[in-house]
Amino acid sequence: MVKNLPELKVQYIKGVGPRKAELLAKLGIRSVWDAMMHFPMRYEDRRNIRDIRDTRAGEHETVSGDVISSSLKNIKRGLKIFELSVSDGTGLIKGKWFNQPYLKKIFKTGRKVVLSGAVKYGWRGAGLEMENPVYEFIGDSDDPLVHMGRIVPVYRTTENLSPKQLRGVLFNILRAHGADVQDTVPGEILKRNGLPGLPESIQGAHFPGPDEDLGQLNAWRTDYQRRVSFDEFFMLELGLAVLKQGKLRERGISFNPDGKLVDKLLASLPFTLTTAQQRVFNEILSDMKSPYPAHRLIQGDVGSGKTVVALMAMLGAVECGYQAALMAPTEILARQHYLNVRGMAEGLGLKIALLTGSAREKPIEEIASGGIDIVVGTHALIQEGVNFKNLGLAVIDEQHRFGVMQRAVLRKKALNPDILVMTATPIPRTLAMTLYGDLDCSVLDEMPPGRTPVKTMLFTESDKQKVYEIISEEVASGGRVYVVYPVIEESDKTPLRSAILGEEALKKRFPELKVSLIHGRIKPAERETVMQEFKGGNIDILVSTTVIEVGVDVPEASLMLIVHAERFGLSQLHQLRGRVGRGSRRSGCLLLAYGPLGEEARRRLDVMTETGDGFRIAEEDLDIRGPGEFMGTRQSGIPGLRVANLVRDAGLLEPARREAFSLIEADPELKGAPELREALEKFWHGKIELFKTA
Ligand code: ADP
Ligand code: MG
């Protein structure tokens, strides 16, 4: 860059003093570059300046003329009206502002102004007028109009900084420094993707030319806008490519499993693998055989059979004399995985252990001595003091909140083990590319046979009797029921129905049934007992909070009631629903919503009743919530996207990724593009060290 725009403070810009600088800081604008990256949220068409005699009531018009007269009137206490007459030689129009007496000083008679606003008829045939129009003075110089006579940008702003002021600041900044913007993206990449240069793109996205299409602009589809979004994706993917390339240069374990344990396991299972399971296992296997530390994401909807695949991979490591670990996000899940794995691997003669924070006996010494083959646990596994003799493979389950940086910590913990990340929340492709962009990806896109789709129905409070009837019939015919509440207990802050009161009510309503309760404040061991009772059939109705959200496996559970369904996010509803329909029994899910429902809640619930397809649900969720909210992206260690939008600009992500990865493959340290390398390090600054100085 000619001038270092990210380091150039915005307060040295013409028209920005310390006070405005403070307000701008509230918007995250500190440097000139920050300001340039603060793009309009929409555009307004103020191109046509109309003759005053041609303006029509009911239309939004822009006119220009001389101030003929003005007056400030005190109508009554607390109401002052400033009125202005403007003439352009074809006619006269009034401007009216309420309680802005200072305008009297600004609008001197004879000044040339432009007004823009909705036109209406004044009181008692007083002619045409505009209430609170936007205004701009035409100076004596040849300065172009900023706020009128063009397509104007409208910015998200903050209190005490008007959209107009902010527009003025941006205009000055671009005028002073627009030409200093340096384009670091190689020209061939731009050419291949039909993208214009960066300086003109930034300019054009802020202050579009007169021939642009307003609809295209507001949809963020012009070439200039696309270029700006492309850059952000490109920097993001370039960083991920460097991370991945760096990993490829590290040495990992080259496994050479003989398949004996895996064969034994498969022979003992009451089912055969689906084609998808077989394929994903082969992908994992070829990772394991390679000499590089593998990092693979296994995506599969709830119930697609990830656990078996993970176990097969772990057995592969054990066959080669290494240890394997399986890490789950909660104690319940860790215990369940432990029981599962132990159950399946029973006849294989392996030492399998559980390690959680609250476990009384911690097999720390056996883990260190190598006496244990497979450890299942929680985050306790990666805490200090836990050392493996030779960890070869780590499987991380359900870790969509586990980002790039945390994975880096885990890698340092052991001698570059292979890492598998399993997630049951299907992630839309676009998001997977950013969240897990440095990983290889496998998808379990096929359900084991014999599953029936979960019939999902929506009820409101007035249908409650019907809901009770369905529950009662389900239990009577041998089914088991989950009832999920959003909170453990009632409070003043959240007037929601709670699990604790829900349990009481259900016990009263169904005195003949066994009703039990679990939630996050109940001790893990106790929770486990309750879960086992439910699994064993000693409990008919299990009332709970979202502690059962992930992974808990009770194939006999055939009905779920979600109370306050309107309160849950789409992905969460899908996760919850995945707890039923895991056996051969026909299953159902009842969504009980308390109104009045907002439009968004309505859409979420409709999607749930329409489809069981996890990927479709994930796409909808991303669309509804936006990428920032989706699954806590912010914690993932990915630089925030300021301009690009994963939904709106989805089509740009793939080319950006392709270009970034092929560039890094050809030139891993960007020796041929030092400016790009510098820009890249700035983009990722403080997030992760991209280029290690070896
Ligand atoms: P996920 O972890 O993907 O939600 P699980 O691995 O827990 O799914 O599998 C769900 C259930 O399906 C388990 O009871 C498991 O034993 C069973 N299962 C797994 N693979 C198959 C298969 N190929 N055929 C039949 N059942 C399977
Ligand atoms: Mg699972």
Side-chain angles (χ1 to χ4, degrees):
M1 283 170 211
V2 183
K3 294 205 178 83
N4 196 342
L5 300 179
E7 257 131 60
L8 196 60
K9 293 226 169 60
V10 81
Q11 72 195 71
Y12 301 120
I13 293 296
K14 182 183 149 202
V16 183
R19 202 190 70 91
K20 242 186 219 166
E22 241 170 68
L23 292 170
L24 288 169
K26 280 191 192 163
L27 292 167
I29 300 175
R30 289 179 182 81
S31 69
V32 164
W33 182 248
D34 291 338
M36 288 183 179
M37 290 297 110
H38 189 82
F39 284 99
M41 52 180 188
R42 62 186 173 84
Y43 302 82
E44 253 175 50
D45 192 349
R46 296 188 197 155
R47 276 176 295 195
N48 292 323
I49 295 186
R50 227 185 254 288
D51 286 351
I52 291 177
R53 69 168 164 224
D54 292 336
T55 56
R56 276 164 304 159
E59 298 291 317
H60 189 111
E61 308 272 23
T62 302
V63 300
S64 133
D66 302 324
V67 177
I68 302 292
S69 65
S70 68
S71 67
L72 182 63
K73 291 180 193 149
N74 274 313
I75 299 299
K76 54 184 172 192
R77 263 180 64 136
L79 182 62
K80 293 191 175 81
I81 297 184
F82 175 67
E83 262 187 25
L84 184 74
S85 287
V86 172
S87 160
D88 67 352
T90 72
L92 213 68
I93 197 165
K94 266 188 188 153
K96 241 185 195 179
W97 289 265
F98 300 97
N99 291 336
Q100 297 181 51
Y102 62 88
L103 291 177
K104 174 78 183 155
K105 284 191 207 116
I106 301 176
F107 283 96
K108 299 247 165 61
T109 305
R111 282 194 86 172
K112 284 191 186 322
V113 296
V114 183
L115 300 181
S116 183
V119 176
K120 59 178 207 173
Y121 287 112
W123 200 50
R124 287 192 189 159
L128 292 175
E129 62 181 41
M130 292 177 175
E131 257 176 36
N132 286 313
V134 189
Y135 59 87
E136 181 170 7
F137 294 103
I138 303 174
D140 302 325
S141 67
D142 294 334
D143 282 1
L145 283 172
V146 178
H147 311 282
M148 310 283 163
R150 59 160 72 237
I151 295 176
V152 294
V154 182
Y155 296 97
R156 176 176 63 83
T157 181
T158 181
E159 221 181 318
N160 298 325
L161 186 68
S162 71
K164 189 176 161 184
Q165 283 174 314
L166 186 50
R167 188 183 303 127
V169 170
L170 254 320
F171 191 83
N172 287 341
I173 282 180
L174 287 167
R175 188 144 71 159
H177 296 289
D180 298 338
V181 170
Q182 198 189 23
D183 201 339
T184 56
V185 177
E188 319 91 77
I189 293 183
L190 297 180
K191 217 188 258 167
R192 255 199 305 275
N193 294 281
L195 295 168
L198 192 59
E200 62 264 40
S201 295
I202 290 178
Q203 176 70 38
H206 281 286
F207 291 93
D211 300 328
E212 292 282 7
D213 180 291
L214 198 73
Q216 292 283 95
L217 279 167
N218 277 322
W220 202 258
R221 290 239 179 78
T222 69
D223 284 348
Y224 292 144
Q225 292 166 320
R226 290 176 60 247
R227 166 67 210 266
V228 182
S229 290
F230 178 89
D231 268 37
E232 222 172 29
F233 284 150
F234 185 65
M235 289 298 179
L236 182 68
E237 293 297 337
L238 213 47
L240 294 171
V242 172
L243 284 177
K244 190 165 173 182
Q245 192 73 29
K247 267 176 231 159
L248 285 182
R249 280 184 313 223
E250 284 169 25
R251 279 190 57 82
I253 305 161
S254 179
F255 294 95
N256 194 11
D258 57 19
K260 274 193 192 129
L261 286 173
V262 173
D263 288 345
K264 255 196 192 169
L265 172 78
L266 291 179
S268 73
L269 291 177
F271 52 77
T272 52
L273 297 182
T274 63
T275 320
Q277 283 171 316
Q278 192 61 60
R279 187 191 66 232
V280 170
F281 178 63
N282 285 336
E283 285 164 1
I284 297 171
L285 210 54
S286 72
D287 282 351
M288 292 178 69
K289 287 179 180 167
S290 90
Y292 310 111
H295 290 80
R296 184 171 287 277
L297 173 71
I298 314 294
Q299 281 196 69
D301 210 343
V302 249
S304 59
K306 294 181 293 296
T307 315
V308 187
V309 176
L311 178 58
M312 289 165 67
M314 292 196 286
L315 292 179
V318 174
E319 280 173 14
C320 302
Y322 287 92
Q323 292 171 300
L326 170 56
M327 189 160 96
T330 66
E331 297 231 350
I332 285 202
L333 258 181
R335 276 160 190 280
Q336 186 185 303
H337 271 315
Y338 169 66
L339 294 174
N340 241 340
V341 165
R342 219 181 50 180
M344 285 194 280
E346 201 151 39
L348 304 177
L350 304 180
K351 289 251 175 58
I352 299 169
L354 175 69
L355 179 68
T356 64
S358 73
R360 230 166 285 129
E361 280 169 45
K362 297 195 172 72
I364 291 188
E365 268 153 42
E366 294 102 305
I367 293 174
S369 70
I372 280 170
D373 302 306
I374 295 178
V375 198
V376 182
T378 55
H379 272 76
L381 282 176
I382 54 167
Q383 255 144 37
E384 230 168 285
V386 179
N387 295 302
F388 290 84
K389 177 162 181 255
N390 59 354
L391 180 63
L393 176 81
V395 182
I396 305 166
D397 187 22
E398 312 278 2
Q399 283 290 1
H400 47 248
R401 293 175 191 93
F402 206 75
V404 172
M405 284 194 290
Q406 289 94 322
R407 286 200 303 274
V409 174
L410 178 61
R411 275 195 297 139
K412 282 190 192 131
K413 179 93 192 165
L415 308 155
N416 279 334
D418 283 357
I419 294 180
L420 288 181
V421 180
M422 300 199 294
T423 173
T425 309
I427 301 168
R429 271 180 53 73
T430 44
L431 197 60
M433 266 189 240
T434 56
L435 264 184
Y436 297 105
D438 60 327
L439 302 191
D440 293 306
C441 198
S442 293
V443 184
L444 281 169
D445 49 7
E446 181 188 352
M447 285 288 175
R451 300 274 162 82
T452 50
V454 179
K455 186 166 185 215
T456 304
M457 289 180 287
L458 179 60
F459 295 93
T460 56
E461 195 171 6
S462 55
D463 310 319
K464 226 165 155 183
Q465 288 313 317
K466 177 77 187 150
V467 169
Y468 280 135
E469 274 164 38
I470 297 175
I471 291 179
S472 152
E473 277 164 28
E474 186 64 27
V475 177
S477 65
R480 252 164 269 169
V481 183
Y482 286 114
V483 179
V484 183
Y485 283 85
V487 292
I488 299 177
E489 63 188 336
E490 240 97 327
S491 81
D492 301 338
K493 266 176 267 156
T494 50
L496 300 177
R497 284 143 194 90
S498 71
I500 288 178
L501 292 187
E503 186 208 11
E504 281 174 24
L506 283 162
K507 275 185 166 153
K508 254 190 220 134
R509 168 86 205 201
F510 300 114
E512 70 286 3
L513 300 184
K514 282 250 184 73
V515 181
S516 255
L517 173 70
I518 61 166
H519 55 67
R521 274 195 245 137
I522 292 174
K523 286 204 190 85
E526 232 171 282
R527 266 189 265 164
E528 180 57 33
T529 316
V530 175
M531 282 311 299
Q532 288 310 320
E533 297 254 299
F534 186 54
K535 209 169 174 157
N538 295 327
I539 293 170
D540 304 305
I541 300 179
L542 182 62
V543 179
S544 80
T545 55
T546 54
V547 288
I548 58 148
E549 179 184 348
V550 275
V552 170
D553 200 7
V554 181
E556 297 80 8
S558 51
L559 183 67
M560 173 175 284
L561 166 63
I562 303 176
V563 182
H564 278 302
E566 82 283 357
R567 287 290 174 140
F568 295 89
L570 199 41
S571 292
Q572 206 178 14
L573 287 171
H574 178 67
Q575 284 291 315
L576 285 168
R577 180 170 61 181
R579 301 302 110 214
V580 293
R582 296 169 80 83
S584 48
R585 203 182 149 90
R586 272 190 54 117
S587 297
C589 178
L590 315 177
L591 306 171
L592 181 54
Y594 290 83
L597 292 182
E599 192 186 323
E600 197 198 295
R602 181 82 221 181
R603 188 166 153 207
R604 262 182 276 141
L605 298 173
D606 284 345
V607 172
M608 283 298 290
T609 54
E610 277 163 27
T611 184
D613 177 347
F615 278 94
R616 214 203 109 198
I617 287 175
E619 296 280 357
E620 291 276 353
D621 199 24
L622 179 61
D623 197 29
I624 292 174
R625 280 200 289 165
E629 298 280 312
F630 191 88
M631 297 189 303
T633 319
R634 279 191 216 108
Q635 306 159 24
S636 67
I638 300 264
L641 296 173
R642 296 204 272 193
V643 187
N645 178 310
L646 288 171
V647 178
R648 185 190 64 197
D649 304 324
L652 289 169
L653 186 53
E654 192 136 8
R657 177 176 177 81
R658 199 173 46 230
E659 295 289 1
F661 273 71
S662 68
L663 183 58
I664 292 300
E665 199 171 315
D667 183 4
E669 289 174 45
L670 292 176
K671 289 208 169 87
E675 289 113 2
L676 178 60
R677 182 183 154 128
E678 200 180 310
L680 181 64
E681 283 184 306
K682 282 216 175 83
F683 185 82
W684 282 78
H685 179 73
K687 307 285 181 197
I688 218 158
E689 203 181 327
L690 282 183
F691 301 96
K692 291 190 190 76
T693 35

